[in-house]
Amino acid sequence: MWTYYFKLSWLSIRKTPVLSVLMVLCIAVGIASCLTTFTMYSVISSNPLAHKNESVFAVQLDSWDPDNEYFDANGIPIQLTYRDARAIMESDIPDKTVIMFNSGISIQRADGTGESTVRKMRVTTRDFFSVFDVDFVKGTPWDDEADRQGENVVVINESLQKLMFGTDESLGKPLSLEGELYTVVGVVDDDWHLVPNVYDLNNNPFDTPPFLYIPFMNVQEHPFQNWGNTNGWNSAVIDSYQAYLDSELIWIQGWVELSTLDTKQQFSNFLQAYINEQKKIGRFQRPLKYLLNTPEEWLDINEVVGSDTRVLLVLSISFLLVCLVNTIVMLLAKFLKKAPEAGVRRALGASRQSIFSQHVCEALLIGVLGAILGLLFSWQGLAGVRALYQSYNQVATLSGFTVLAAIVLAIVTSFLSGAFPAWRISHTQPASYLKTN
Amino acid sequence: MFETIPIIKSLLRNKTGPILIIIQLAITIAIVSNALFFINQRVEKINRPTGIANEEIVRTWVKANHADADMEYIIKRDLAHIRAMEGVIDATVISAVPLSNSGSASGFQIEPGEDQEDIPANYYQMDEHGINTLGMKLIDGRNFTVGEVEFRKRTDIPKNINAIATKKLADKLFPGESALGKTIYDGRLEIHIIGIVESMLGAWLNWEHTGNALFYPGETLTDSTNYLIRTHKDETEKVMLSVVESLRALDSTRLIVDEKTIETVLKESYSNDYAMIKILSVVVGMLILVNALGIIGLTTFWVNQRRKQIGVRRALGANRLAISRYFILENMILCLVAAAAGSMLAFAASDMMVRRYSVDLLDWPFVPFTGLCILLLTIVAASVPAWQASKISPAEATASV
């Protein structure tokens, strides 16, 4: 029966070309706007570390001003002081510890030729690469010894390798960072990119990854620029680099991997004991508070999904609703106009059920056509979003899931819009349409 | 109007179509009034006066090629050179670029010590050419003198310093009185206010304390710094390029990157707001289109359903205008009912968004404005089918096929 219904539907659609085109357009536009904002929303709110949500944690310690709570996020500082970061590094409880900050540095070829250039750099402990699943195309992260001593080693990415060395033979070769020589030990895949970059949300959560990485302990000797945020609450005079390191300024991000509940409990105890110890020497004057946040919680605390995105989502769903109602109106108009035909069929013995099915079929066909057109519009819509929001280049792309979602959405929408008119027409009295008066 | 009651009665008899159209128009009014409100908010935000001559200023960033460079000498030499260039009105060194979403802030108190209420403000360091380069208006007090402009090492922390504040900050610190000559404190730093400028938005355009800004004379010497150069509105690109060229000519071993006009910096900082305006405008446009088409479609359908009825009326003496008027009036009534429902829906939606997404509550004038626009839209959309209805001849009254 269904092939018959589809044939009927196709003929019927062709009989009212203008109306059919309008209906298809209506559904297409509604679906496109929904898909575009939904794609954006789902990427912006995605958690790239979902698979490690139970084992990787961002550390927060409330070392802030006794008179005021921290002015942002969840009322606790979202970064660590140097002293607290070092204390966490000393603990052997976590399976892995990442202590790091965002920086930038001027880079030049070791032989002094060529122009120097400035690139984004991450100053971090070596566990960064394993905790955040960084892909290497060559070499490996530096070893434990280099990590502890803060040796002059560097991991660069493919783009930087190409820029500085021209070839892909950079392992073991030196690179000049701000006048000092560092040896390349590994090369990172250009395609590695956490979207959003949950490990450090101080700047743009959708920004490109760093071009190079050096061991955190280099910070003991060198004051590197901080390209993230530095915040403080007390008025201690900072008149030397050592004073800066000893101060209550927060500028370091800390993550730990605690793979069992037991380890997590042990580490919590450690943090608690540490804070109590510090209280005795006059630090941590606020009520004892520390948090181990999962990546999901961390994204939430840092408000990655802005209100703009949410408003757009609400807008899209309402827009789809308008398109839905509009399609119902148009289908109703069309079906009731063809009521005489349905009357004849009923007189010839068709059941209400089959009249209903026949008309729903027509609505579904329009829906499928609308889905195809809608996907085309979505593709354009997402290109438009990429053009408007520079930082969303990674975010606004069509995926297999989107295509599936479009088709499902179209079918549901067209069924909903077709059901009522189809029901109406299946319930008309055939006799009234057979009369000529 | 005399036809209103019969129209309402006939609408009530066949409720489905009218109810659907009312729902559609109501949702549209709710969406469009909120969308227009958001657009208006963003446009107002973007059009805020910056307090500086943002169309006339360009920025360059320079970084010495080694850590021991004599930055004080370099900065003074560079600036003297730039100021002598053709097309340059003035130039200054500055610690951060205004309007760029990047800068420094601190809390300032009117009494020293702990436990005091502090007012957050954005602060900059610049030289005595700063005010003129930025194009700010000095409304009280004086500018910095050459002698006050000190180039300090990072470890040289002054205990005492003069500063110029924006009027907004001055009024926040000392409401009702002149801030001139008064002293404020940032930790152990004593700050004497020697001048007040009219206004300056500052670094962060989404900040709740935008407009609170403080300017110190001098600069902390690191291996890099920003220069701001003021020129004429239509020469910014040209002057920017020639400044970069001559800076390179003075010293080609250093890094000179990221030169931009402040106009570009401003547009980039507002890019999310521009994007929102564009997206919302597209949505409003599409909604209007969809609704117009829907109304044309439905009215055409009704006209066709009632050919006989129209024919009868014409036969009984109704003129063509009366027939058209009937359909237009019918649509207007639907629109008015939709407007009432739509207004409630608009505020309900706005209220939900206020509570969940912390946006502002819809400003009420947007609802009647939107309602009026949609009313005009329905009249225009219905006019063509209504005119076609009027062409139905009275002969249809007695036709049996």
Side-chain angles (χ1 to χ4, degrees):
Chain A
M1 268 328 242
W2 285 95
T3 28
Y4 176 57
Y5 290 161
F6 271 107
K7 206 166 114 193
L8 279 180
S9 305
W10 179 239
L11 285 172
S12 166
I13 288 177
R14 282 180 57 191
K15 245 186 257 162
T16 59
V18 174
L19 196 60
S20 306
V21 166
L22 282 178
M23 287 194 277
V24 168
L25 268 174
C26 208
I27 292 192
V29 159
I31 287 180
S33 78
C34 249
L35 276 185
T36 307
T37 42
F38 197 74
T39 307
M40 270 176 63
Y41 183 84
S42 65
V43 179
I44 291 172
S45 62
S46 68
N47 177 4
L49 285 182
H51 58 292
K52 291 193 176 178
N53 217 44
E54 304 298 311
S55 54
V56 167
F57 303 93
V59 183
Q60 278 185 291
L61 303 175
D62 198 354
S63 60
W64 207 244
D65 187 355
D67 300 318
N68 293 302
E69 68 168 23
Y70 184 69
F71 58 89
D72 202 10
N74 56 354
I76 314 176
I78 52 173
Q79 298 192 97
L80 305 167
T81 65
Y82 178 75
R83 287 166 74 167
D84 299 330
R86 288 298 303 275
I88 291 176
M89 277 171 79
E90 304 293 313
S91 165
D92 54 4
I93 300 171
D95 303 303
K96 297 203 174 108
T97 308
V98 185
I99 296 290
M100 58 181 179
F101 64 99
N102 185 17
S103 181
I105 200 164
S106 65
I107 310 164
Q108 204 180 14
R109 298 217 187 100
D111 54 12
T113 61
E115 275 187 22
S116 63
T117 181
V118 173
R119 286 286 187 272
K120 183 157 77 162
M121 165 176 79
R122 184 144 290 263
V123 181
T124 177
T125 58
R126 66 185 298 272
D127 283 338
F128 175 87
F129 302 104
S130 53
V131 170
F132 298 110
D133 298 332
V134 182
D135 303 312
F136 278 72
V137 293
K138 265 203 152 85
T140 61
W142 53 80
D143 58 29
D144 263 327
E145 184 67 20
D147 207 36
R148 254 179 292 126
Q149 302 293 348
E151 283 176 17
N152 280 15
V153 285
V154 62
V155 167
I156 61 180
N157 73 357
E158 286 178 291
S159 301
L160 193 60
Q161 181 181 236
K162 186 140 175 243
L163 186 66
M164 285 292 138
F165 295 97
T167 67
D168 53 2
E169 304 292 323
S170 61
L171 283 190
K173 297 218 179 101
L175 200 58
S176 167
L177 302 180
E178 213 132 86
E180 266 195 50
L181 290 180
Y182 284 69
T183 314
V184 178
V185 295
V187 181
V188 166
D189 194 341
D190 265 352
D191 288 334
W192 175 81
H193 190 185
L194 288 187
V195 180
N197 39 23
V198 58
Y199 54 83
D200 183 353
L201 298 166
N202 278 302
N203 305 89
N204 176 6
F206 302 100
D207 208 0
T208 49
F211 282 79
L212 63 159
Y213 309 78
I214 61 173
F216 178 80
M217 288 308 276
N218 272 296
V219 100
Q220 277 186 305
E221 313 282 302
H222 300 274
F224 296 107
Q225 285 185 13
N226 184 2
W227 282 20
N229 283 332
T230 310
N231 297 96
W233 54 271
N234 74 7
S235 47
V237 174
I238 304 194
D239 52 8
S240 67
Y241 185 56
Q242 192 54 47
Y244 175 70
L245 294 177
D246 290 336
S247 70
E248 295 298 330
L249 291 174
I250 57 167
W251 47 283
I252 296 173
Q253 300 94 47
W255 288 81
V256 287
E257 186 169 314
L258 308 163
S259 46
T260 66
L261 275 174
D262 200 35
T263 331
K264 189 169 176 204
Q265 187 58 51
Q266 277 183 46
F267 190 63
S268 301
N269 295 340
F270 163 78
L271 287 179
Q272 194 157 338
Y274 172 73
I275 295 178
N276 280 322
E277 230 182 80
Q278 294 294 304
K279 276 179 184 283
K280 294 198 193 118
I281 57 171
R283 296 185 64 217
F284 282 88
Q285 289 300 302
R286 288 187 69 71
L288 190 146
K289 187 129 199 210
Y290 61 92
L291 281 180
L292 291 170
N293 302 290
T294 64
E296 178 107 24
E297 291 168 336
W298 194 236
L299 289 167
D300 205 25
I301 289 171
N302 282 281
E303 289 175 25
V304 175
V305 184
S307 63
D308 270 11
T309 320
R310 291 190 218 255
V311 164
L312 282 180
L313 196 65
V314 170
L315 210 66
S316 289
I317 295 176
S318 336
F319 184 71
L320 185 65
L321 219 68
V322 171
C323 290
L324 194 81
V325 176
N326 206 31
T327 313
I328 294 180
V329 167
M330 290 200 266
L331 278 175
L332 193 67
K334 179 171 182 191
F335 289 173
L336 287 180
K337 187 159 181 216
K338 283 190 339 163
E341 192 184 309
V344 169
R345 288 179 189 279
R346 292 270 279 130
L348 287 175
S351 65
R352 286 209 176 117
Q353 170 73 20
S354 65
I355 300 289
F356 179 80
S357 311
Q358 180 192 331
H359 286 86
V360 165
C361 188
E362 184 169 339
L364 283 176
L365 191 57
I366 291 186
V368 168
L369 290 170
I372 296 171
L373 198 61
L375 273 173
L376 213 72
F377 286 171
S378 302
W379 186 54
Q380 280 308 300
L382 286 171
V385 168
R386 284 200 296 277
L388 284 179
Y389 291 95
Q390 295 299 351
S391 48
Y392 287 173
N393 263 323
Q394 297 288 335
V395 169
T397 42
L398 274 184
S399 65
F401 175 76
T402 320
V403 173
L404 198 66
I407 297 176
V408 170
L409 196 62
I411 292 177
V412 169
T413 320
S414 46
F415 181 77
L416 285 175
S417 51
F420 174 68
W423 178 84
R424 267 296 292 274
I425 197 174
S426 66
H427 271 74
T428 54
Q429 296 291 2
S432 58
Y433 290 100
L434 293 174
K435 292 195 207 153
T436 51
N437 244 337
Chain B
M1 295 249 240
F2 23 88
E3 283 158 0
T4 327
I5 313 273
I7 291 178
I8 295 181
K9 280 198 178 156
S10 90
L11 284 175
L12 284 173
R13 228 178 292 132
N14 196 352
K15 293 197 214 69
T16 349
I19 287 184
L20 285 173
I21 274 283
I22 288 174
I23 292 177
Q24 185 179 328
L25 285 176
I27 299 180
T28 303
I29 289 176
I31 297 177
V32 172
S33 39
N34 276 295
L36 288 178
F37 171 64
F38 286 141
I39 291 177
N40 190 51
Q41 277 209 311
R42 297 301 161 117
V43 169
E44 272 181 0
K45 182 176 170 200
I46 291 177
N47 286 334
R48 281 182 301 184
T50 58
I52 65 175
N54 47 288
E55 293 176 338
E56 302 172 10
I57 310 174
V58 304
R59 169 256 191 179
T60 63
W61 186 75
V62 298
K63 183 174 154 81
N65 63 337
H66 56 100
D68 301 324
D70 184 352
M71 282 307 284
E72 180 169 352
Y73 165 72
I74 290 175
I75 291 174
K76 288 186 172 153
R77 172 202 68 191
D78 286 347
L79 286 175
H81 196 89
I82 296 174
R83 285 175 195 140
M85 281 175 69
E86 191 189 325
V88 171
I89 298 176
D90 208 345
T92 182
V93 59
I94 194 163
S95 53
V97 180
L99 313 173
S100 64
N101 274 333
S102 159
S104 306
S106 188
F108 298 90
Q109 317 169 175
I110 55 178
E111 298 286 333
E114 312 277 320
D115 258 353
Q116 295 285 333
E117 192 207 336
D118 63 32
I119 312 279
N122 183 201
Y123 64 84
Y124 293 89
Q125 295 189 74
M126 55 187 197
D127 68 19
E128 73 279 11
H129 292 255
I131 292 190
N132 193 34
T133 309
L134 286 171
M136 297 194 291
K137 193 160 149 223
L138 192 67
I139 55 175
D140 210 355
R142 63 173 179 84
N143 188 6
F144 303 127
T145 61
V146 176
E148 283 172 328
V149 176
E150 277 179 21
F151 291 86
R152 295 169 226 106
K153 296 210 282 283
R154 247 202 274 212
T155 50
D156 259 338
I157 315 269
K159 293 227 168 51
N160 240 300
I161 196 168
N162 290 338
I164 297 175
T166 56
K167 183 164 187 329
K168 182 159 183 239
L169 179 61
D171 288 342
K172 275 253 164 66
L173 289 165
F174 300 101
E177 35 178 349
S178 167
L180 211 53
K182 300 233 168 40
T183 307
I184 58 176
Y185 303 87
D186 176 7
R188 286 185 212 160
L189 179 64
E190 232 179 78
I191 304 156
H192 303 283
I193 299 181
I194 54 136
I196 299 181
V197 286
E198 188 166 34
S199 71
M200 214 282 243
L201 268 187
W204 306 284
L205 302 169
N206 293 324
W207 200 33
E208 60 178 297
H209 305 286
T210 307
N212 288 2
L214 199 65
F215 301 91
Y216 297 123
E219 172 72 319
T220 307
L221 299 173
T222 60
D223 60 357
S224 64
T225 191
N226 294 293
Y227 295 140
L228 290 182
I229 300 116
R230 185 160 172 210
T231 173
H232 303 284
K233 206 160 35 159
D234 37 2
E235 291 188 347
T236 47
E237 291 282 344
K238 196 174 85 170
V239 167
M240 185 170 76
L241 291 170
S242 53
V243 164
V244 170
E245 244 182 69
S246 29
L247 285 178
R248 284 226 173 92
L250 277 176
D251 180 357
S252 63
T253 63
R254 58 181 167 174
L255 206 58
I256 303 170
V257 290
D258 258 353
E259 55 273 5
K260 274 193 184 133
T261 64
I262 296 299
E263 219 18 46
T264 310
V265 169
L266 190 60
K267 283 215 168 64
E268 287 175 3
S269 299
Y270 277 139
S271 61
N272 277 356
D273 300 295
Y274 278 116
M276 194 64 162
I277 290 176
K278 288 197 182 115
I279 292 181
L280 287 175
S281 307
V282 168
V283 169
V284 168
M286 291 204 292
L287 270 176
I288 298 206
L289 193 68
V290 163
N291 279 283
L293 293 174
I295 289 177
I296 293 177
L298 194 68
T299 313
T300 310
F301 171 68
W302 277 332
V303 165
N304 281 326
Q305 287 289 75
R306 290 181 261 180
R307 290 191 83 87
K308 205 132 189 256
Q309 178 197 3
I310 293 169
V312 167
R313 288 186 68 207
R314 291 276 276 133
L316 288 175
N319 62 18
R320 290 172 65 167
L321 190 63
I323 302 291
S324 306
R325 198 176 57 205
Y326 180 97
F327 283 100
I328 293 188
L329 206 58
E330 191 178 58
N331 273 296
M332 276 177 66
I333 291 173
L334 285 178
C335 191
L336 281 164
V337 177
S343 320
M344 293 194 286
L345 199 61
F347 281 106
S350 183
D351 189 64
M352 185 266 298
M353 288 197 283
V354 166
R355 270 182 290 115
R356 295 177 94 209
Y357 308 145
S358 49
V359 293
D360 288 334
L361 186 66
L362 180 62
D363 227 1
W364 74 263
F366 283 93
V367 177
F369 175 74
T370 309
L372 212 66
C373 290
I374 298 289
L375 186 69
L376 278 161
L377 176 74
T378 49
I379 292 176
V380 168
S383 59
V384 171
W387 181 67
Q388 294 212 316
S390 71
K391 287 207 287 187
I392 292 175
S393 84
E396 302 253 354
T398 46
S400 54
V401 179

